[in-house]
Amino acid sequence: MTPTSANRVVSLAAIMIVLTSVVLQGIQAGVVSDFNHAERCKDSLYMGTPPRGYLSNAFKKICQRYEDKPRYATVYDPRRHIPIYSAYTFKKSDGEKKVDFPWMFEPQLASEKSSSNMEPFPQSTSMHMNFEDTQAVLEDYADVVQYERGQLNPDEHQADPMDKVSTYSLTNVVPQIREFNLGPWAEHQDIIRKRLNNYCRGKAFVVTGVTTSGHTIRRSNMDRVAVPEYMWSAYCCTEFDQNAPYFVRYKFPVFGAYGLNDRVNNQMVEVPLKNLEKFLKGRMDVDKNFQIFYNDCVPDN
């Protein structure tokens, strides 16, 4: 081999190493350009496809990773400091809550060079200033007794302890009025848990999201965390018990619900998917093609 040929081989090898490194970094990142890979939380989405039709380019896509494993997908609004939706696979669960784990944040929202895994908040509150521009911090929820931290991917819908832990990230949380959170919202989550436990025979995909409004949690005279006007959720389970009672069976393979995040008139209303999408189109910045599940959760035959 001539020196020139040898140099070419070395150069090509070096280029391949660099390209491989770049690809791997893109795959492993917590904040991602898309969800089109298993390592980017593709498996949390029905047919690997996220909801479509959102018009904002400012939202950040987060593959919520804990202990180096993808757990669920979140689209986050770094300006309003809340998730727009979280998408996850439901796991049959007894509904037990794991509330003794520290709340976590997403390092990569603050810096692309940071860890791709969610991490517990530092003990020093002054450290939180390093990333409070990009996301909510514990201080935002410290003195607002009227609000609870409402999980979009609730720990009660997960079975594995590490999957439960991963739901305790503030990037998976929005401020919910206490009466709504402890009442209609908690009841709805339990209804869906029992329904999917008992009648879903395959994998169930869930997307839970928000509509925003003018209400905001303020701290130090600054707008910090947007308070959603409505909460909504929808599930997709294409393999279900065909012998289920009709009052349950007609809510498969897909159904949705929404509720007003308020003290009164806050009951959760269950509706067909198309009705939910129509309701949301008038309250969110989305286009006419807004769609929560690929092909409306109708499997390709």
Side-chain angles (χ1 to χ4, degrees), residues 46-47 238 253 295 297-301:
Y46 175 65
M47 300 298 289
T238 57
N295 202 27
C297 187
V298 177
D300 295 327
N301 292 325

PDB file of all heavy atoms in Angstrom, residues 46-47 238 253 295 297-301:
ATOM      1  N   TYR A  46     -47.613   5.364  19.822  1.00  0.00           N
ATOM      2  CA  TYR A  46     -48.314   4.427  18.949  1.00  0.00           C
ATOM      3  C   TYR A  46     -47.764   4.552  17.528  1.00  0.00           C
ATOM      4  O   TYR A  46     -47.696   5.657  16.970  1.00  0.00           O
ATOM      5  CB  TYR A  46     -49.814   4.706  18.966  1.00  0.00           C
ATOM      6  CG  TYR A  46     -50.596   3.851  17.998  1.00  0.00           C
ATOM      7  CD1 TYR A  46     -50.666   2.469  18.170  1.00  0.00           C
ATOM      8  CD2 TYR A  46     -51.241   4.412  16.900  1.00  0.00           C
ATOM      9  CE1 TYR A  46     -51.363   1.665  17.276  1.00  0.00           C
ATOM     10  CE2 TYR A  46     -51.953   3.622  16.008  1.00  0.00           C
ATOM     11  CZ  TYR A  46     -51.996   2.243  16.199  1.00  0.00           C
ATOM     12  OH  TYR A  46     -52.692   1.455  15.307  1.00  0.00           O
ATOM     13  N   MET A  47     -47.336   3.444  16.954  1.00  0.00           N
ATOM     14  CA  MET A  47     -46.707   3.394  15.634  1.00  0.00           C
ATOM     15  C   MET A  47     -45.485   4.310  15.560  1.00  0.00           C
ATOM     16  O   MET A  47     -45.101   4.774  14.476  1.00  0.00           O
ATOM     17  CB  MET A  47     -47.714   3.762  14.535  1.00  0.00           C
ATOM     18  CG  MET A  47     -48.925   2.838  14.463  1.00  0.00           C
ATOM     19  SD  MET A  47     -48.492   1.116  14.093  1.00  0.00           S
ATOM     20  CE  MET A  47     -48.008   1.258  12.374  1.00  0.00           C
ATOM     21  N   THR A 238     -55.256  -1.294  20.670  1.00  0.00           N
ATOM     22  CA  THR A 238     -55.893  -1.952  19.527  1.00  0.00           C
ATOM     23  C   THR A 238     -56.250  -3.409  19.804  1.00  0.00           C
ATOM     24  O   THR A 238     -57.082  -3.979  19.098  1.00  0.00           O
ATOM     25  CB  THR A 238     -54.988  -1.872  18.291  1.00  0.00           C
ATOM     26  OG1 THR A 238     -53.724  -2.473  18.601  1.00  0.00           O
ATOM     27  CG2 THR A 238     -54.766  -0.421  17.875  1.00  0.00           C
ATOM     28  N   PRO A 253     -61.070   0.943  20.377  1.00  0.00           N
ATOM     29  CA  PRO A 253     -59.669   0.910  20.815  1.00  0.00           C
ATOM     30  C   PRO A 253     -59.140   2.229  21.349  1.00  0.00           C
ATOM     31  O   PRO A 253     -58.047   2.279  21.904  1.00  0.00           O
ATOM     32  CB  PRO A 253     -58.924   0.540  19.533  1.00  0.00           C
ATOM     33  CG  PRO A 253     -59.766   1.139  18.450  1.00  0.00           C
ATOM     34  CD  PRO A 253     -61.181   0.985  18.907  1.00  0.00           C
ATOM     35  N   ASN A 295     -53.149   7.709  12.474  1.00  0.00           N
ATOM     36  CA  ASN A 295     -54.314   7.066  11.831  1.00  0.00           C
ATOM     37  C   ASN A 295     -55.463   6.865  12.826  1.00  0.00           C
ATOM     38  O   ASN A 295     -56.253   5.925  12.687  1.00  0.00           O
ATOM     39  CB  ASN A 295     -53.908   5.737  11.203  1.00  0.00           C
ATOM     40  CG  ASN A 295     -54.861   5.301  10.114  1.00  0.00           C
ATOM     41  OD1 ASN A 295     -55.506   6.128   9.476  1.00  0.00           O
ATOM     42  ND2 ASN A 295     -54.984   3.999   9.901  1.00  0.00           N
ATOM     43  N   CYS A 297     -55.525   5.723  15.723  1.00  0.00           N
ATOM     44  CA  CYS A 297     -55.446   4.442  16.447  1.00  0.00           C
ATOM     45  C   CYS A 297     -56.187   3.329  15.728  1.00  0.00           C
ATOM     46  O   CYS A 297     -56.669   2.378  16.337  1.00  0.00           O
ATOM     47  CB  CYS A 297     -55.957   4.591  17.888  1.00  0.00           C
ATOM     48  SG  CYS A 297     -55.734   3.131  18.934  1.00  0.00           S
ATOM     49  N   VAL A 298     -56.279   3.439  14.406  1.00  0.00           N
ATOM     50  CA  VAL A 298     -56.852   2.368  13.601  1.00  0.00           C
ATOM     51  C   VAL A 298     -55.680   1.591  13.009  1.00  0.00           C
ATOM     52  O   VAL A 298     -54.901   2.147  12.226  1.00  0.00           O
ATOM     53  CB  VAL A 298     -57.738   2.914  12.476  1.00  0.00           C
ATOM     54  CG1 VAL A 298     -58.255   1.766  11.603  1.00  0.00           C
ATOM     55  CG2 VAL A 298     -58.898   3.718  13.066  1.00  0.00           C
ATOM     56  N   PRO A 299     -55.510   0.320  13.367  1.00  0.00           N
ATOM     57  CA  PRO A 299     -54.343  -0.439  12.878  1.00  0.00           C
ATOM     58  C   PRO A 299     -54.402  -0.660  11.375  1.00  0.00           C
ATOM     59  O   PRO A 299     -55.480  -0.805  10.790  1.00  0.00           O
ATOM     60  CB  PRO A 299     -54.424  -1.759  13.641  1.00  0.00           C
ATOM     61  CG  PRO A 299     -55.838  -1.877  14.089  1.00  0.00           C
ATOM     62  CD  PRO A 299     -56.354  -0.481  14.260  1.00  0.00           C
ATOM     63  N   ASP A 300     -53.227  -0.637  10.741  1.00  0.00           N
ATOM     64  CA  ASP A 300     -53.129  -0.938   9.316  1.00  0.00           C
ATOM     65  C   ASP A 300     -53.332  -2.416   9.101  1.00  0.00           C
ATOM     66  O   ASP A 300     -52.617  -3.252   9.654  1.00  0.00           O
ATOM     67  CB  ASP A 300     -51.758  -0.522   8.778  1.00  0.00           C
ATOM     68  CG  ASP A 300     -51.555   0.987   8.834  1.00  0.00           C
ATOM     69  OD1 ASP A 300     -52.548   1.716   8.670  1.00  0.00           O
ATOM     70  OD2 ASP A 300     -50.417   1.406   9.067  1.00  0.00           O
ATOM     71  N   ASN A 301     -54.303  -2.785   8.274  1.00  0.00           N
ATOM     72  CA  ASN A 301     -54.567  -4.206   8.001  1.00  0.00           C
ATOM     73  C   ASN A 301     -54.136  -4.541   6.588  1.00  0.00           C
ATOM     74  O   ASN A 301     -54.217  -3.753   5.694  1.00  0.00           O
ATOM     75  CB  ASN A 301     -56.061  -4.515   8.175  1.00  0.00           C
ATOM     76  CG  ASN A 301     -56.496  -4.398   9.633  1.00  0.00           C
ATOM     77  OD1 ASN A 301     -55.723  -4.734  10.530  1.00  0.00           O
ATOM     78  ND2 ASN A 301     -57.710  -3.924   9.863  1.00  0.00           N
TER      79      ASN A 301
END
